[in-house]
């Protein structure tokens, strides 16, 4: 069920949106390790776009 949802049209964009939101809020509200965690979570969206663009001709 979860696997089929992730392969749907809105599955991965929702996951990336939630990761970005958690990263942004965490980096803005808390200091220390949350700054690095936020950078990684926000970078996940960029990494997904780069990965998708390199896979398609």
């Amino acid at each position: 069920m979860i696997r089929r949802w992730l392969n749907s049209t809105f599955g991965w964009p929702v996951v990336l949106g939630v990761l970005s939101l958690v990263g942004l809020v965490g980096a803005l509200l808390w200091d220390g390790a949350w700054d690095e965690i936020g950078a990684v979570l926000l970078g996940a969206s960029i990494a997904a776009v780069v990965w998708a663009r390199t896979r398609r001709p």
Side-chain angles (χ1 to χ4, degrees):
M1 177 75 174
I2 295 291
R3 188 168 177 83
R4 186 172 55 173
W5 181 80
L6 283 176
N7 288 330
S8 71
T9 303
F10 299 107
W12 284 113
V14 168
V15 170
L16 289 173
V18 168
L19 289 176
S20 296
L21 183 63
V22 169
L24 182 62
V25 170
L28 289 174
L29 295 181
W30 298 288
D31 288 330
W34 273 102
D35 292 333
E36 287 81 19
I37 293 169
V40 169
L41 292 177
L42 289 171
S45 297
I46 296 169
V49 169
V50 169
W51 176 79
R53 295 294 291 170
T54 58
R55 287 202 40 147
R56 294 185 182 201

